[in-house]
Amino acid sequence: MKSAAENLSPTRAKLNVEVTLDELKPNIDAAYKAVAEQIQVPGFRKGKVPSRLIDQRVGRGYVLETAINEGLNDWYQQAVAETGIRPLSRPEVEITEVPDPSAAEGELKFSVEVDVRPEIELPDYEGLKIDVEAAEAGDADVEKALDELRGRFGTLKPVDRPAQADDFLTIDLTAKVGDEEVDSASGLSYQVGSGTMLEGLDEAVTGLSAGEEAVFETKLAGGDHAGEDATVTVKVTAVKERELPEADDDFAQLASEFDTIGELREDLAKQAAQSKVVSQGVEARDKVLDKLVDLVEVPVPEGVVAEQVEAHFNPANGGHAAEDEHDTEEHRAEVKANTERAFKNEVILDAIADKEEIGVSQSELIEYLVTTASQYGMDPNQFAQIMDQSGQVPMMVGEVRRRKALAVVLGKAEVTDSEGNAVDLSEFVRPLPDEEESPEGAESEAAAEVIPSDDPAAAKF
């Protein structure tokens, strides 16, 4: 078999493939066997009909067509391997020449057009200069963390006063669309200011005492009338405030492994400092990726992006219906921009992973599976089985590999804060546990890991 690749554009390639009649013969023989199983000829057992009789009954042209259809994918995959292209879309095949069924020689010729991953030229990413916000944990951070911890052990007590921010209410809700009551609920718990129910609810309940009610206009968030304008009546049946325990030694022993409030404060200060480092690390990571995208020209295959955007809005793929209020011109433009950005991210990080010869160990993949499963609230074993059955494991390996590539670049970057101080991200970018013990630090750079990306443009190609 002969194959050659022709670049139609940086993201589109054409394969020209030639298959000789000798190479086609095993497929022709298999086609004869398949047809023999499908027809019945008096005097011959099923599957034992001679080729000459099959030619008489269905025609050699039909057999040849069957042989070609059955072999096309294998020849295409072989041509992909030989030419080294990296397809991104479904191939568009055109058969240009078919051997004469009655001739002893001849060739099958066909061409394939397909979107491909573009080749890019990486810049020198050693020592990229990144600025992040200065972050130093202070007393206010410690007090905030302590108050949050006290809040976990707080108790609610009824109060005889109007509701205010952070109060806990028991409420009844009734919603009307026009004159029709479409929904109602009673005995709901709600914290003022949380914004977890309906838009306008916080303003409506603020200042109400138990037994009082208010009416406000809003859009319904769920149910059969989601998105519709409605008039909602809210009645407050109870107002409670959270009473926090005293921040003393007794509380420290109740809420932690420490014996004194001083030890607890000291530990909270360490946690606050670590949190600041993580915040700086996330900012640095995102800015490193932004800088890479700015430095590298990545052609984007419009057909692939368009397919991803349509999949987002297609109900059959879990997207939104075309008439959905989310399917707006602005939303489509946002999804398109995010998809293009995700494509560029992946191409760049894959190229860096190739250059750095980054691999993914079984323990790294397991760690990623466990973390992802927890985000979906699923059992890790069940999640892994679903990913395996749906063929998503290679995609997950690629994601881990890209994260490691980004961590390598981040580990080589020069990061300073807004006050000109060098930022140490060694706690943010670290070697993976199974590779920390590699002899003489082998592959230490390639073993780097970064906190999982929360980039909204997390489309997979």
Side-chain angles (χ1 to χ4, degrees):
M1 191 192 86
K2 297 179 182 178
S3 62
E6 174 187 352
N7 291 325
L8 304 178
S9 76
T11 60
R12 187 81 173 170
K14 181 178 181 180
L15 294 176
N16 295 304
V17 184
E18 298 178 4
V19 182
T20 66
L21 194 59
D22 287 341
E23 292 169 322
L24 187 58
K25 190 175 184 306
N27 297 81
I28 295 176
D29 293 341
Y32 272 119
K33 289 183 179 180
V35 174
E37 292 288 342
Q38 300 168 7
I39 65 174
Q40 291 183 343
V41 177
F44 295 94
R45 288 180 298 167
K46 193 173 183 179
K48 301 297 183 180
V49 181
S51 300
R52 58 183 177 78
L53 289 181
I54 292 177
D55 290 344
Q56 294 174 5
R57 290 295 183 96
V58 301
R60 184 168 171 78
Y62 174 79
V63 176
L64 185 61
E65 180 183 348
T66 302
I68 292 173
N69 288 336
E70 288 297 322
L72 267 180
N73 185 62
D74 290 339
W75 298 319
Y76 164 66
Q77 296 294 346
Q78 186 177 338
V80 167
E82 288 178 355
T83 58
I85 67 168
R86 302 172 72 180
L88 291 173
S89 62
R90 287 184 292 272
E92 299 175 7
V93 180
E94 180 183 4
I95 297 177
T96 56
E97 183 177 324
V98 177
D100 184 348
S102 61
E105 296 182 354
E107 286 183 325
L108 166 68
K109 295 182 180 180
F110 65 92
S111 63
V112 181
E113 288 192 20
V114 65
D115 288 319
V116 295
R117 184 175 289 248
E119 298 295 327
I120 62 171
E121 184 175 345
L122 286 173
D124 181 11
Y125 48 80
E126 181 84 31
L128 290 179
K129 298 185 183 300
I130 303 297
D131 293 323
V132 297
E133 287 295 322
E136 183 176 347
D139 293 339
D141 297 296
V142 176
E143 291 303 320
K144 180 182 177 181
L146 182 59
D147 286 344
E148 290 176 353
L149 185 60
R150 291 168 65 199
R152 299 179 194 173
F153 293 86
T155 56
L156 298 180
K157 67 172 185 177
V159 290
D160 186 15
R161 59 165 175 75
Q164 58 189 31
D166 298 327
D167 280 346
F168 291 81
L169 310 181
T170 303
I171 59 175
D172 299 337
L173 290 175
T174 303
K176 289 185 177 181
V177 174
D179 295 329
E180 178 188 1
E181 182 177 316
V182 296
D183 202 359
S184 64
S186 59
L188 300 176
S189 296
Y190 183 71
Q191 184 178 16
V192 182
S194 64
T196 56
M197 282 193 185
L198 295 171
E199 185 177 350
L201 179 60
D202 287 323
E203 293 80 0
V205 297
T206 299
L208 296 184
S209 298
E212 296 180 339
E213 62 182 40
V215 178
F216 64 100
E217 304 294 325
T218 189
K219 284 186 180 294
L220 297 179
D224 295 336
H225 297 271
E228 295 186 26
D229 293 326
T231 301
V232 177
T233 301
V234 55
K235 180 178 181 181
V236 176
T237 59
V239 180
K240 300 177 183 179
E241 67 178 4
R242 176 178 281 159
E243 191 174 58
L244 302 181
E246 289 294 327
D248 52 20
D249 292 346
D250 289 338
F251 172 71
Q253 294 168 18
L254 171 67
S256 71
E257 71 272 26
F258 302 107
D259 294 326
T260 67
I261 191 65
E263 292 173 328
L264 175 57
R265 286 181 182 275
E266 183 178 345
D267 183 68
L268 292 176
K270 291 179 182 178
Q271 292 183 35
Q274 292 172 349
S275 177
K276 296 293 184 181
V277 171
V278 170
S279 297
Q280 286 184 319
V282 170
E283 183 182 356
R285 175 205 66 197
D286 293 343
K287 287 187 173 180
V288 161
L289 191 52
D290 288 342
K291 184 157 289 192
L292 286 172
V293 172
D294 290 340
L295 290 173
V296 183
E297 183 67 29
V298 181
V300 178
E302 291 299 324
V304 174
V305 171
E307 185 177 329
Q308 292 280 339
V309 172
E310 287 305 316
H312 177 85
F313 291 98
N314 187 347
N317 295 319
H320 302 291
E323 65 274 11
D324 195 298
E325 64 171 323
H326 297 285
D327 190 0
T328 63
E329 185 176 342
E330 293 78 11
H331 191 190
R332 279 185 173 265
E334 179 186 3
V335 172
K336 182 175 184 289
N338 288 343
T339 305
E340 290 176 346
R341 170 58 188 259
F343 178 80
K344 293 179 180 181
N345 290 351
E346 291 196 7
V347 170
I348 293 171
L349 294 178
D350 282 342
I352 293 172
D354 290 341
K355 180 179 178 180
E356 299 286 344
E357 298 182 346
I358 293 175
V360 177
S361 68
Q362 185 177 12
S363 61
E364 291 167 346
L365 180 59
I366 291 173
E367 181 181 354
Y368 177 83
L369 282 166
V370 170
T371 302
T372 309
S374 66
Q375 293 173 353
Y376 286 101
M378 295 180 63
D379 174 73
N381 291 325
Q382 181 186 14
F383 181 74
Q385 186 176 13
I386 292 174
M387 291 297 98
D388 183 41
Q389 292 174 349
S390 60
Q392 296 298 306
V393 172
M395 179 272 289
M396 302 182 82
V397 171
E399 178 67 12
V400 176
R401 189 168 179 260
R402 283 187 285 272
R403 291 180 178 185
K404 293 175 67 177
L406 180 56
V408 168
V409 181
L410 182 56
K412 295 179 178 181
E414 295 180 11
V415 184
T416 55
D417 65 20
S418 53
E419 297 177 356
N421 301 312
V423 177
D424 180 10
L425 295 179
S426 57
E427 290 298 315
F428 186 83
V429 180
R430 56 186 172 82
L432 290 166
D434 63 322
E435 293 178 337
E436 285 178 333
E437 301 176 0
S438 299
E440 299 181 2
E443 301 181 352
S444 60
E445 288 185 336
E449 164 187 69
V450 72
I451 289 177
S453 171
D454 50 11
D455 188 344
K460 298 295 178 293
F461 294 86

